[in-house]
Amino acid sequence: PALAPRDHLVKTPKGNVFGREIPGDDPPIVLMHGYGRSERAELGGFSLQEHASELEALLDQLDIDRAVLVGHDASGPDAVAFTIAHPQRVTHLVLLNTTFGHLPSLKLPEMIRLLADPALAPLADAMINDDAQRLWLLQFTADHWGVDALDPQGVAVQSILPQFFGNADQPDALPAIRAWTACLFDFLSEQDKLVDTGALRDLEVPVSIIFGGSDRYLDTSLAREIAGLFTDPSLHVVPDASHWPQHDQPQLVADLLAAIA
């Protein structure tokens, strides 16, 4: 009971951020997700700087001075930007199956590219606002990622469907998803500019890249290109894992994070 998880709603400049605290040994490991149970009342606020202010508020209110920062998927660029802005607060930067800028191997899922293309906004809105079409888009993407959409304990049921359809605990995140994807290409260009400053190359915080080797979109070629943005990173390819290596191979990823910590 002394080690039972504790849930927090932490007040930040852009509303409350949900966090689940699992007690353990130092150093703290902060796992950042693409979407979660945080409030979505305030649309916008998706820039690297605004997300950094939310993360800083979270660390401050949980009395975390320095942490291993783990960014997965959409949170990867935020983890990078926070580490550059606040290197004294990050003991190690870890990136799982994520993106950063317009790298040559970047292959966005077709659904994300549809939602992000301003020229296709009317079509994207029509499809995303129709329950059947929305479910079809998710099933198509899940099939390409090798996700079992019917597994009650799987990523699709536990993490993805609630974002697109809501559940008893929270409303859907459709307005936030549309707002974020509408700015995605601009965000990638913003990340390109950060690369051009040399800030990633000059970063003195240790960096590790951990990618599921079977991700058909964010693949190992992209992992190597992201690693190439930093001076001396470590690169780990997780076998028999797709976009969510922490779910597909939890013990292996946990062992890697424990070794890093």
Side-chain angles (χ1 to χ4, degrees):
L3 297 180
R6 292 184 295 171
D7 290 350
H8 302 269
L9 274 178
V10 177
K11 186 176 181 180
T12 79
K14 282 292 182 179
N16 291 332
V17 169
F18 176 87
R20 172 161 292 161
E21 180 184 5
I22 301 175
D25 296 329
D26 283 334
I29 300 175
V30 177
L31 308 174
M32 300 169 61
H33 304 273
Y35 285 102
R37 300 181 186 177
S38 301
E39 288 185 347
R40 304 184 181 95
E42 295 288 338
L43 291 184
F46 295 105
S47 72
L48 296 175
Q49 294 77 17
E50 287 166 309
H51 277 174
S53 70
E54 293 180 358
L55 179 57
E56 186 175 22
L58 179 76
L59 296 179
D60 288 344
Q61 293 191 42
L62 295 181
D63 294 322
I64 297 175
D65 293 327
R66 302 180 73 220
V68 175
L69 195 57
V70 184
H72 172 251
D73 193 79
S75 71
D78 297 318
V80 172
F82 182 86
T83 303
I84 290 171
H86 306 280
Q88 75 282 0
R89 305 204 66 172
V90 181
T91 59
H92 203 116
L93 171 64
V94 184
L95 300 175
L96 278 66
N97 289 72
T98 188
T99 66
F100 204 87
H102 291 91
L103 292 170
S105 294
L106 175 62
K107 182 183 179 184
L108 294 172
E110 291 84 358
M111 182 180 73
I112 298 300
R113 184 170 291 279
L114 168 66
L115 298 179
D117 191 334
L120 298 177
L123 173 62
D125 287 335
M127 295 188 73
I128 209 72
N129 289 328
D130 181 280
D131 288 352
Q133 294 294 332
R134 190 186 326 145
L135 185 61
W136 184 89
L137 285 171
L138 290 172
Q139 183 65 62
F140 177 89
T141 306
D143 289 344
H144 281 67
W145 256 327
V147 172
D148 183 352
L150 300 180
D151 180 1
Q153 300 303 316
V155 169
V157 173
Q158 292 291 320
S159 300
I160 299 175
L161 285 179
Q163 309 303 322
F164 285 84
F165 289 93
N167 60 21
D169 298 325
Q170 67 185 46
D172 66 63
L174 290 180
I177 291 170
R178 289 300 288 124
W180 174 74
T181 52
C183 300
L184 178 57
F185 292 152
D186 290 338
F187 292 153
L188 293 175
S189 296
E190 182 183 2
Q191 295 155 27
D192 290 336
K193 293 178 182 177
L194 195 56
V195 171
D196 291 341
T197 67
L200 279 71
R201 183 182 62 251
D202 296 338
L203 190 64
E204 295 184 357
V205 174
V207 177
S208 292
I209 315 295
I210 302 174
F211 264 52
S214 301
D215 192 331
R216 292 179 61 180
Y217 293 106
L218 311 184
D219 60 18
T220 54
S221 294
L222 182 63
R224 289 189 290 271
E225 290 172 2
I226 291 176
L229 300 175
F230 301 93
T231 296
D232 189 27
S234 62
L235 174 61
H236 308 272
V237 176
V238 181
D240 301 320
S242 183
H243 183 66
W244 292 270
Q246 69 272 38
H247 178 271
D248 296 341
Q249 295 288 346
Q251 189 60 57
L252 196 157
V253 173
D255 291 343
L256 286 172
L257 292 180
I260 287 168

